[in-house]
Short mmCIF file of all heavy atoms in Angstrom, two decimals:
data_model
loop_
_atom_site.label_atom_id
_atom_site.label_comp_id
_atom_site.label_asym_id
_atom_site.label_seq_id
_atom_site.Cartn_x
_atom_site.Cartn_y
_atom_site.Cartn_z
N ILE V 1 4.29 -10.83 -0.62
CA ILE V 1 5.12 -10.33 0.47
C ILE V 1 5.24 -11.37 1.58
O ILE V 1 6.30 -11.54 2.18
CB ILE V 1 4.56 -9.00 1.01
CG1 ILE V 1 4.77 -7.88 -0.02
CG2 ILE V 1 5.20 -8.62 2.35
CD1 ILE V 1 4.04 -6.60 0.29
N ASN V 2 4.16 -12.10 1.84
CA ASN V 2 4.17 -13.07 2.93
C ASN V 2 4.77 -14.42 2.55
O ASN V 2 4.97 -15.27 3.41
CB ASN V 2 2.75 -13.27 3.46
CG ASN V 2 2.36 -12.17 4.43
OD1 ASN V 2 2.73 -12.21 5.60
ND2 ASN V 2 1.64 -11.17 3.95
N THR V 3 5.04 -14.63 1.26
CA THR V 3 5.64 -15.91 0.85
C THR V 3 7.04 -15.74 0.28
O THR V 3 7.76 -16.71 0.10
CB THR V 3 4.76 -16.63 -0.19
OG1 THR V 3 4.52 -15.75 -1.30
CG2 THR V 3 3.44 -17.05 0.42
N LEU V 4 7.43 -14.49 -0.01
CA LEU V 4 8.79 -14.23 -0.48
C LEU V 4 9.69 -14.11 0.74
O LEU V 4 9.48 -13.27 1.60
CB LEU V 4 8.82 -12.91 -1.27
CG LEU V 4 10.19 -12.42 -1.71
CD1 LEU V 4 10.75 -13.35 -2.79
CD2 LEU V 4 10.12 -11.00 -2.24
N MET V 5 10.71 -14.97 0.83
CA MET V 5 11.58 -14.97 2.00
C MET V 5 12.94 -14.38 1.68
O MET V 5 13.47 -14.57 0.59
CB MET V 5 11.76 -16.42 2.51
CG MET V 5 10.49 -17.04 3.03
SD MET V 5 9.86 -16.18 4.49
CE MET V 5 8.18 -16.82 4.57
N THR V 6 13.50 -13.65 2.65
CA THR V 6 14.87 -13.17 2.52
C THR V 6 15.82 -14.32 2.80
O THR V 6 15.40 -15.43 3.15
CB THR V 6 15.14 -12.01 3.50
OG1 THR V 6 14.89 -12.48 4.83
CG2 THR V 6 14.23 -10.84 3.22
N SER V 7 17.11 -14.06 2.70
CA SER V 7 18.10 -15.14 2.82
C SER V 7 18.09 -15.80 4.20
O SER V 7 18.51 -16.95 4.34
CB SER V 7 19.50 -14.61 2.50
OG SER V 7 19.81 -13.51 3.35
N ASN V 8 17.63 -15.08 5.24
CA ASN V 8 17.60 -15.70 6.57
C ASN V 8 16.20 -16.22 6.94
O ASN V 8 15.92 -16.50 8.10
CB ASN V 8 18.09 -14.71 7.62
CG ASN V 8 17.16 -13.52 7.81
OD1 ASN V 8 16.21 -13.36 7.04
ND2 ASN V 8 17.41 -12.70 8.81
N GLY V 9 15.33 -16.33 5.94
CA GLY V 9 14.03 -16.95 6.16
C GLY V 9 12.93 -16.04 6.65
O GLY V 9 11.84 -16.49 7.00
N GLN V 10 13.17 -14.73 6.66
CA GLN V 10 12.14 -13.78 7.09
C GLN V 10 11.36 -13.25 5.89
O GLN V 10 11.88 -13.19 4.78
CB GLN V 10 12.79 -12.58 7.79
CG GLN V 10 13.32 -12.88 9.18
CD GLN V 10 13.83 -11.61 9.84
OE1 GLN V 10 14.59 -10.86 9.25
NE2 GLN V 10 13.41 -11.37 11.07
N ALA V 11 10.11 -12.87 6.17
CA ALA V 11 9.37 -12.11 5.17
C ALA V 11 9.99 -10.72 5.08
O ALA V 11 10.48 -10.20 6.08
CB ALA V 11 7.90 -12.00 5.56
N PRO V 12 10.02 -10.11 3.90
CA PRO V 12 10.64 -8.78 3.78
C PRO V 12 9.87 -7.73 4.58
O PRO V 12 8.64 -7.75 4.62
CB PRO V 12 10.58 -8.49 2.28
CG PRO V 12 9.53 -9.40 1.73
CD PRO V 12 9.52 -10.61 2.61
N PHE V 13 10.60 -6.83 5.22
CA PHE V 13 9.99 -5.79 6.06
C PHE V 13 9.45 -4.68 5.16
O PHE V 13 10.10 -3.66 4.94
CB PHE V 13 11.02 -5.23 7.04
CG PHE V 13 11.28 -6.11 8.23
CD1 PHE V 13 11.07 -7.49 8.16
CD2 PHE V 13 11.72 -5.59 9.42
CE1 PHE V 13 11.31 -8.31 9.25
CE2 PHE V 13 11.96 -6.40 10.53
CZ PHE V 13 11.75 -7.76 10.44
N VAL V 14 8.25 -4.88 4.65
CA VAL V 14 7.64 -3.95 3.71
C VAL V 14 6.55 -3.14 4.42
O VAL V 14 5.78 -3.69 5.20
CB VAL V 14 7.03 -4.71 2.50
CG1 VAL V 14 6.28 -3.76 1.58
CG2 VAL V 14 8.12 -5.44 1.74
N THR V 15 6.51 -1.84 4.12
CA THR V 15 5.48 -0.96 4.66
C THR V 15 4.67 -0.36 3.53
O THR V 15 5.24 0.18 2.58
CB THR V 15 6.12 0.16 5.51
OG1 THR V 15 6.76 -0.42 6.64
CG2 THR V 15 5.07 1.15 5.98
N LEU V 16 3.35 -0.44 3.61
CA LEU V 16 2.46 0.22 2.65
C LEU V 16 1.93 1.50 3.28
O LEU V 16 1.34 1.48 4.36
CB LEU V 16 1.29 -0.70 2.27
CG LEU V 16 1.67 -2.06 1.65
CD1 LEU V 16 0.41 -2.81 1.24
CD2 LEU V 16 2.59 -1.89 0.46
N PHE V 17 2.17 2.62 2.61
CA PHE V 17 1.87 3.95 3.14
C PHE V 17 0.61 4.48 2.46
O PHE V 17 0.60 4.69 1.24
CB PHE V 17 3.06 4.86 2.85
CG PHE V 17 3.00 6.22 3.48
CD1 PHE V 17 3.18 6.37 4.85
CD2 PHE V 17 2.82 7.35 2.72
CE1 PHE V 17 3.15 7.63 5.45
CE2 PHE V 17 2.79 8.62 3.29
CZ PHE V 17 2.97 8.76 4.65
N MET V 18 -0.44 4.70 3.22
CA MET V 18 -1.75 5.04 2.66
C MET V 18 -2.13 6.48 3.02
O MET V 18 -2.50 6.78 4.14
CB MET V 18 -2.80 4.06 3.19
CG MET V 18 -2.48 2.60 2.87
SD MET V 18 -3.70 1.43 3.53
CE MET V 18 -3.36 1.54 5.28
N HIS V 19 -2.04 7.36 2.03
CA HIS V 19 -2.26 8.79 2.26
C HIS V 19 -3.25 9.33 1.22
O HIS V 19 -3.01 9.23 0.02
CB HIS V 19 -0.92 9.54 2.15
CG HIS V 19 -1.03 11.00 2.47
ND1 HIS V 19 -0.06 11.92 2.14
CD2 HIS V 19 -2.01 11.72 3.10
CE1 HIS V 19 -0.42 13.12 2.55
NE2 HIS V 19 -1.60 13.04 3.12
N THR V 20 -4.33 9.91 1.69
CA THR V 20 -5.30 10.55 0.80
C THR V 20 -4.84 11.98 0.52
O THR V 20 -5.44 12.95 0.98
CB THR V 20 -6.72 10.54 1.41
OG1 THR V 20 -6.65 11.09 2.74
CG2 THR V 20 -7.27 9.13 1.49
N ASP V 21 -3.76 12.08 -0.22
CA ASP V 21 -3.10 13.36 -0.49
C ASP V 21 -3.83 14.12 -1.59
O ASP V 21 -3.95 13.62 -2.72
CB ASP V 21 -1.64 13.07 -0.90
CG ASP V 21 -0.85 14.34 -1.16
OD1 ASP V 21 -1.39 15.44 -0.99
OD2 ASP V 21 0.34 14.21 -1.55
N GLU V 22 -4.29 15.31 -1.28
CA GLU V 22 -5.05 16.09 -2.26
C GLU V 22 -4.21 16.50 -3.48
O GLU V 22 -4.75 16.86 -4.52
CB GLU V 22 -5.63 17.36 -1.59
CG GLU V 22 -6.69 17.07 -0.53
CD GLU V 22 -7.98 16.49 -1.09
OE1 GLU V 22 -8.17 16.52 -2.33
OE2 GLU V 22 -8.80 15.99 -0.30
N ASN V 23 -2.88 16.45 -3.36
CA ASN V 23 -2.00 16.76 -4.48
C ASN V 23 -1.72 15.55 -5.38
O ASN V 23 -1.01 15.67 -6.37
CB ASN V 23 -0.68 17.32 -3.96
CG ASN V 23 -0.86 18.64 -3.23
OD1 ASN V 23 -1.59 19.51 -3.69
ND2 ASN V 23 -0.23 18.77 -2.07
N ASP V 24 -2.27 14.41 -5.00
CA ASP V 24 -2.06 13.18 -5.78
C ASP V 24 -2.93 13.24 -7.04
O ASP V 24 -4.15 13.27 -6.96
CB ASP V 24 -2.46 11.98 -4.90
CG ASP V 24 -2.29 10.64 -5.62
OD1 ASP V 24 -1.87 10.63 -6.79
OD2 ASP V 24 -2.59 9.61 -4.98
N PRO V 25 -2.31 13.23 -8.23
CA PRO V 25 -3.10 13.29 -9.47
C PRO V 25 -3.97 12.05 -9.67
O PRO V 25 -4.91 12.07 -10.47
CB PRO V 25 -2.04 13.42 -10.57
CG PRO V 25 -0.80 12.87 -9.96
CD PRO V 25 -0.86 13.20 -8.51
N TYR V 26 -3.66 10.97 -8.95
CA TYR V 26 -4.44 9.73 -9.06
C TYR V 26 -5.21 9.45 -7.76
O TYR V 26 -5.39 8.30 -7.37
CB TYR V 26 -3.51 8.55 -9.36
CG TYR V 26 -2.78 8.69 -10.67
CD1 TYR V 26 -1.46 9.12 -10.71
CD2 TYR V 26 -3.41 8.39 -11.88
CE1 TYR V 26 -0.78 9.26 -11.92
CE2 TYR V 26 -2.74 8.52 -13.09
CZ TYR V 26 -1.43 8.96 -13.10
OH TYR V 26 -0.77 9.09 -14.30
N LEU V 27 -5.66 10.52 -7.10
CA LEU V 27 -6.27 10.36 -5.78
C LEU V 27 -7.47 9.42 -5.79
O LEU V 27 -7.63 8.59 -4.89
CB LEU V 27 -6.68 11.73 -5.21
CG LEU V 27 -7.30 11.72 -3.81
CD1 LEU V 27 -6.38 11.04 -2.81
CD2 LEU V 27 -7.63 13.14 -3.36
N ASP V 28 -8.33 9.50 -6.80
CA ASP V 28 -9.50 8.62 -6.86
C ASP V 28 -9.09 7.16 -6.87
O ASP V 28 -9.68 6.32 -6.18
CB ASP V 28 -10.36 8.95 -8.09
CG ASP V 28 -11.06 10.29 -7.97
OD1 ASP V 28 -11.15 10.81 -6.83
OD2 ASP V 28 -11.52 10.82 -9.00
N GLN V 29 -8.06 6.85 -7.67
CA GLN V 29 -7.57 5.48 -7.73
C GLN V 29 -6.88 5.08 -6.42
O GLN V 29 -7.04 3.96 -5.93
CB GLN V 29 -6.60 5.30 -8.92
CG GLN V 29 -7.28 5.41 -10.28
CD GLN V 29 -7.25 6.83 -10.83
OE1 GLN V 29 -7.27 7.81 -10.08
NE2 GLN V 29 -7.22 6.95 -12.14
N THR V 30 -6.12 6.02 -5.87
CA THR V 30 -5.42 5.76 -4.60
C THR V 30 -6.42 5.41 -3.51
O THR V 30 -6.20 4.47 -2.73
CB THR V 30 -4.60 7.00 -4.18
OG1 THR V 30 -3.61 7.26 -5.18
CG2 THR V 30 -3.90 6.77 -2.85
N VAL V 31 -7.51 6.15 -3.44
CA VAL V 31 -8.53 5.92 -2.41
C VAL V 31 -9.12 4.51 -2.55
O VAL V 31 -9.33 3.81 -1.56
CB VAL V 31 -9.64 6.99 -2.52
CG1 VAL V 31 -10.88 6.59 -1.73
CG2 VAL V 31 -9.11 8.34 -2.02
N ARG V 32 -9.36 4.10 -3.78
CA ARG V 32 -9.91 2.75 -4.00
C ARG V 32 -8.91 1.67 -3.60
O ARG V 32 -9.28 0.62 -3.05
CB ARG V 32 -10.33 2.58 -5.46
CG ARG V 32 -11.55 3.42 -5.83
CD ARG V 32 -11.92 3.27 -7.28
NE ARG V 32 -12.30 1.91 -7.62
CZ ARG V 32 -12.52 1.48 -8.87
NH1 ARG V 32 -12.40 2.33 -9.88
NH2 ARG V 32 -12.87 0.24 -9.10
N ILE V 33 -7.63 1.93 -3.88
CA ILE V 33 -6.59 0.98 -3.49
C ILE V 33 -6.49 0.88 -1.97
O ILE V 33 -6.43 -0.23 -1.41
CB ILE V 33 -5.22 1.39 -4.10
CG1 ILE V 33 -5.25 1.20 -5.62
CG2 ILE V 33 -4.08 0.58 -3.48
CD1 ILE V 33 -4.07 1.84 -6.34
N ILE V 34 -6.52 2.02 -1.28
CA ILE V 34 -6.47 2.03 0.18
C ILE V 34 -7.63 1.24 0.76
O ILE V 34 -7.47 0.42 1.67
CB ILE V 34 -6.49 3.48 0.72
CG1 ILE V 34 -5.18 4.20 0.37
CG2 ILE V 34 -6.73 3.51 2.23
CD1 ILE V 34 -5.19 5.69 0.68
N GLU V 35 -8.82 1.48 0.23
CA GLU V 35 -10.01 0.78 0.72
C GLU V 35 -9.85 -0.73 0.58
O GLU V 35 -10.17 -1.49 1.50
CB GLU V 35 -11.25 1.25 -0.03
CG GLU V 35 -12.54 0.62 0.47
CD GLU V 35 -13.78 1.15 -0.23
OE1 GLU V 35 -13.64 1.83 -1.29
OE2 GLU V 35 -14.89 0.89 0.24
N GLU V 36 -9.33 -1.17 -0.55
CA GLU V 36 -9.17 -2.61 -0.79
C GLU V 36 -8.09 -3.21 0.11
O GLU V 36 -8.24 -4.33 0.61
CB GLU V 36 -8.85 -2.87 -2.27
CG GLU V 36 -8.91 -4.35 -2.66
CD GLU V 36 -10.24 -5.01 -2.36
OE1 GLU V 36 -11.29 -4.36 -2.52
OE2 GLU V 36 -10.24 -6.20 -1.96
N ILE V 37 -7.00 -2.47 0.32
CA ILE V 37 -5.95 -2.95 1.23
C ILE V 37 -6.53 -3.17 2.62
O ILE V 37 -6.29 -4.21 3.26
CB ILE V 37 -4.78 -1.94 1.29
CG1 ILE V 37 -3.99 -1.93 -0.02
CG2 ILE V 37 -3.84 -2.26 2.46
CD1 ILE V 37 -2.97 -0.81 -0.12
N LEU V 38 -7.31 -2.21 3.11
CA LEU V 38 -7.90 -2.31 4.45
C LEU V 38 -8.91 -3.46 4.54
O LEU V 38 -8.93 -4.19 5.53
CB LEU V 38 -8.56 -0.99 4.83
CG LEU V 38 -7.61 0.20 5.07
CD1 LEU V 38 -8.39 1.49 5.20
CD2 LEU V 38 -6.76 -0.04 6.33
N LYS V 39 -9.72 -3.62 3.51
CA LYS V 39 -10.71 -4.71 3.52
C LYS V 39 -10.03 -6.07 3.59
O LYS V 39 -10.46 -6.96 4.34
CB LYS V 39 -11.60 -4.62 2.27
CG LYS V 39 -12.67 -3.55 2.35
CD LYS V 39 -13.51 -3.54 1.07
CE LYS V 39 -14.64 -2.52 1.14
NZ LYS V 39 -15.42 -2.47 -0.11
#
């Protein structure tokens, strides 16, 4: 994300949304991904 540039030389405006949603069938994996993103 930080090295891919748009046509005007900007990094793409990407947002990562981190939600420990109890309805998420992959919640255990999601939690581990969130932890690693934050670290």
Side-chain angles (χ1 to χ4, degrees):
I1 289 170
N2 279 280
T3 55
L4 174 69
M5 295 296 165
T6 58
S7 57
N8 67 352
Q10 287 185 311
F13 282 26
V14 175
T15 295
L16 301 184
F17 188 72
M18 302 179 289
H19 184 196
T20 52
D21 182 2
E22 294 293 347
N23 296 316
D24 180 0
Y26 298 100
L27 182 56
D28 290 343
Q29 292 92 329
T30 298
V31 165
R32 290 179 63 188
I33 291 168
I34 291 172
E35 183 177 13
E36 190 57 37
I37 289 171
L38 291 170
K39 282 180 177 178

